Amino acid sequence: MFKKMSLLVATVIGLLFTFGSEDSYKTTVGSDSGGQTVTLATVNWESEIASTNVLAQVLKEAGFNVQITTVDPAIMFSSVAEGQSDAMVGGWVPTTHQAYAEKYGDSMVDLGANLEGAISALTVPAYMEDINSITDLTDENDSTITAIEPGAGVTNSAQNAVKEYDNLSDWEVSVSSTGAMIAELEQAINDEEDIVVIGWKPHWMFMDYDLKMLDDPENVFGGYEEIHSYAREGLKEENPEAYKIIDNFYWEVADMSAVMEELATGVEPEEAADNWIEANRETVDGWLE
């Protein structure tokens, strides 16, 4: 019950800071060493809150001050490309954020994958036993896919699915926010009603709820993705130590999921990041080498 109450509170907060909005907000992770400031751009997804805060705490340990700016995906990419942010670790390619990667990729440094095995797909509760593929859908949930923010890559994929699959020709995609979608999912599960949402892994929803991703024979959602880190041009020369740590940052789906699970219970991002770092000292020491 307490976990669900935390979810509802988080949902309300999330509605204020969705990545479909151009509003942004900043947090600063301080250091007593008087070191340089590193600016990180991110989006308000639990996955990127997890990765950005873990990296920020490691940079703090190395003596840097870190400023985290939360924006929408387009601004996350453009801020690094235009030198307004030093780096970001939330680029999902080659599907979710591919349009932004293509638009801004030549103006920043692609440091490669910091996580492999990410995936998104239409998702339903496991009790919808007869629905295992997008092609199995008929008129569930009033022929509606509950999506997240307009313009998000996964929302675009859902809209493409309605166009590509004949059985979805009469369906519509309802856009809102990540928090609102999860609130609708939870309500449907509590009432054991049909619902079709967009799911992606890593995400704590797959730990809290018994869900299944639907097969996508037309490959509209693009299969498995990587989450890439990007740095602004010139960072390597101006701040080689921070650049090295950001470049070294790499972890597994289980690692990100562990941090996200704590975030879902109401643990503050910095505390959840510190807990993971303490439990994975050898991995973090490798990033600092």
Side-chain angles (χ1 to χ4, degrees):
M1 171 63 75
F2 292 112
K3 187 167 190 177
K4 300 307 179 189
M5 289 299 293
S6 297
L7 171 61
L8 293 175
V9 172
T11 297
V12 173
I13 295 173
L15 290 174
L16 300 177
F17 297 118
T18 67
F19 66 55
S21 166
E22 292 188 359
D23 293 337
S24 66
Y25 60 98
K26 298 179 181 180
T27 57
T28 300
V29 179
S31 169
D32 296 330
S33 68
Q36 293 177 268
T37 296
V38 178
T39 56
L40 301 176
T42 190
V43 291
N44 196 40
W45 296 0
E46 287 89 347
S47 57
E48 308 325 313
I49 292 171
S51 59
T52 304
N53 276 275
V54 166
L55 178 59
Q57 292 300 97
V58 174
L59 286 165
K60 174 186 174 182
E61 181 179 325
F64 296 99
N65 294 296
V66 182
Q67 185 179 81
I68 300 171
T69 303
T70 305
V71 292
D72 71 16
I75 297 176
M76 177 177 68
F77 275 84
S78 66
S79 69
V80 176
E82 296 168 5
Q84 297 166 344
S85 299
D86 290 320
M88 57 97 155
V89 293
W92 289 54
V93 292
T95 303
T96 303
H97 291 148
Q98 187 61 25
Y100 303 126
E102 291 175 355
K103 181 175 181 178
Y104 298 108
D106 292 340
S107 300
M108 55 188 180
V109 182
D110 184 351
L111 301 177
N114 61 64
L115 184 144
E116 298 172 278
I119 189 170
S120 60
L122 293 187
T123 299
V124 301
Y127 56 70
M128 294 174 63
E129 296 179 358
D130 295 333
I131 309 298
N132 297 294
S133 169
I134 294 177
T135 58
D136 294 330
L137 294 169
T138 55
D139 59 357
E140 294 76 16
N141 194 36
D142 295 326
S143 300
T144 300
I145 297 168
T146 304
I148 57 173
E149 292 75 8
V154 288
T155 296
N156 292 340
S157 294
Q159 291 167 335
N160 289 335
V162 170
K163 298 174 184 177
E164 291 294 326
Y165 285 91
D166 292 340
N167 59 306
L168 300 184
S169 60
D170 295 330
W171 281 57
E172 65 177 34
V173 176
S174 174
V175 298
S176 55
S177 71
T178 305
M181 183 194 75
I182 294 173
E184 287 192 41
L185 173 65
E186 179 176 328
Q187 186 62 54
I189 290 174
N190 288 342
D191 296 337
E192 290 197 22
E193 296 178 344
D194 289 349
I195 189 168
V196 183
V197 301
I198 300 171
W200 59 90
K201 296 180 181 179
H203 195 284
W204 60 263
M205 72 175 88
F206 288 93
M207 304 175 208
D208 276 21
Y209 311 121
D210 190 7
L211 305 172
K212 57 183 176 181
M213 288 183 157
L214 301 184
D215 292 339
D216 177 17
E218 297 297 330
N219 201 35
V220 172
F221 284 85
Y224 283 97
E225 296 190 88
E226 296 177 342
I227 306 179
H228 278 219
S229 303
Y230 294 87
R232 66 170 174 83
E233 293 181 345
L235 180 65
K236 184 176 183 179
E237 293 74 25
E238 296 168 23
N239 196 339
E241 184 179 357
Y243 180 93
K244 178 189 68 175
I245 294 170
I246 297 166
D247 193 18
N248 286 343
F249 173 61
Y250 180 90
W251 59 349
E252 305 290 342
V253 169
D255 297 318
M256 178 182 278
S257 297
V259 180
M260 292 170 66
E261 178 70 5
E262 285 207 83
L263 294 175
T265 65
V267 177
E268 290 297 320
E270 289 184 22
E271 182 182 353
D274 283 337
N275 291 341
W276 184 87
I277 289 168
E278 182 179 355
N280 294 272
R281 190 70 250 176
E282 184 176 349
T283 297
V284 172
D285 287 345
W287 301 344
L288 292 168
E289 288 179 354

